Amino acid sequence: MNKQKRIEILSRLRAQNPHPTTELEYSSPFELLIAVLLSAQATDVGVNKATKHLFPVARTPQAMLDLGVDGLKHYIKTIGLFNTKAENAIKTCRMLVELHGGKVPENREALEALPGVGRKTANVVLNTAFKWPTIAVDTHIFRVSNRTKLAPGKNVDEVEHKLLKVVPAEFKLDVHHWLILHGRYTCVARKPKCGSCLIEDLCEFKDKTE
């Protein structure tokens, strides 16, 4: 795919949604971090249902730590893998309190050192909470990048590297959100909705649907 085509794709996505953001509900970097940690192999809708009740009683790492693992499980038991997620979240809160003064660090290495936080979660927090031009690659972004040929790669790291290389600076801050939403609602896994796709004429997917 050539540079002009990529710019046109990104320009159309921007025109449709000039100020995209995550569908996870949060009001601080800490709440975003916990929401993203809980969202692995779960839907944003499911996470929001749980955090709607959790966050009012645990808005800070210390408050969540005070709930303890069992107390936290009570709030997140509707989310997949909630046992592991509760343990990781409590360990993360302890580290935030003990090492970072109860604040979410604006630092990739410090974020990735937190239990349950990998590169993708760190990228989401740095991008969404701190406005870094990072690109977190999830299953939606991986699929859209490969299917359209915007930034093909064999794994998420390759796709991330390619996106960082080919996406012009003016689009970097928001491209993560545009591609996730496009993959979630239009370029869906089983049968993409090519007929109602904003970028169908620019997409290089060979097996287009109606």
Side-chain angles (χ1 to χ4, degrees):
M1 179 175 285
N2 65 42
K3 184 180 177 182
Q4 266 56 49
K5 207 184 261 192
R6 285 195 184 98
I7 288 173
E8 179 59 22
I9 284 174
L10 295 167
S11 297
R12 287 188 196 178
L13 292 172
R14 178 171 64 188
Q16 183 194 43
N17 187 359
H19 305 291
T21 189
T22 177
E23 293 189 313
L24 290 168
E25 291 167 3
Y26 70 98
S27 62
S28 68
F30 171 66
E31 289 184 5
L32 176 66
L33 173 66
I34 295 300
V36 178
L37 196 150
L38 295 177
S39 72
Q41 295 175 296
T43 65
D44 287 2
V45 172
V47 172
N48 290 339
K49 277 184 184 166
T51 57
K52 184 171 69 177
H53 301 290
L54 169 64
F55 288 155
V57 298
R59 291 215 180 276
T60 64
Q62 186 61 59
M64 196 165 286
L65 198 53
D66 292 344
L67 282 178
V69 173
D70 288 338
L72 179 54
K73 282 182 189 177
H74 168 74
Y75 288 96
I76 65 167
K77 60 183 181 233
T78 53
I79 299 173
L81 310 175
F82 73 93
N83 286 312
T84 306
K85 289 175 181 177
E87 296 199 10
N88 282 336
I90 292 297
K91 286 177 190 164
T92 282
C93 289
R94 185 169 289 114
M95 286 177 70
L96 291 176
V97 169
E98 292 175 359
L99 303 178
H100 303 290
K103 296 266 194 313
V104 174
E106 189 179 342
N107 175 290
R108 177 183 296 286
E109 283 181 342
L111 284 168
E112 289 187 25
L114 299 169
V117 177
R119 183 174 181 84
K120 187 182 82 174
T121 298
N123 274 339
V124 173
V125 173
L126 291 170
N127 174 270
T128 306
F130 299 118
K131 305 305 177 196
W132 284 30
T134 54
I135 302 174
V137 177
D138 71 347
T139 53
H140 296 301
I141 293 179
F142 182 77
R143 180 175 67 255
V144 171
S145 298
N146 275 290
R147 196 182 261 167
T148 60
K149 304 292 187 284
L150 179 72
K154 294 189 189 72
N155 53 51
V156 291
D157 290 338
E158 274 188 27
V159 169
E160 181 187 340
H161 181 71
K162 188 78 183 280
L163 283 167
L164 288 168
K165 188 175 164 188
V166 303
V167 171
E170 65 175 299
F171 300 109
K172 273 209 174 89
L173 184 63
D174 294 324
V175 68
H176 159 82
H177 299 301
W178 290 325
L179 295 182
I180 275 191
L181 294 169
H182 192 66
R184 191 172 281 166
Y185 297 110
T186 304
C187 197
V188 293
R190 287 190 183 164
K191 190 181 177 188
K193 300 171 184 174
C194 301
S196 60
C197 176
L198 187 71
I199 57 168
E200 183 190 9
D201 56 316
L202 302 165
C203 168
E204 296 181 7
F205 181 50
K206 289 189 174 60
D207 304 314
K208 292 201 170 95
T209 63
E210 289 302 315

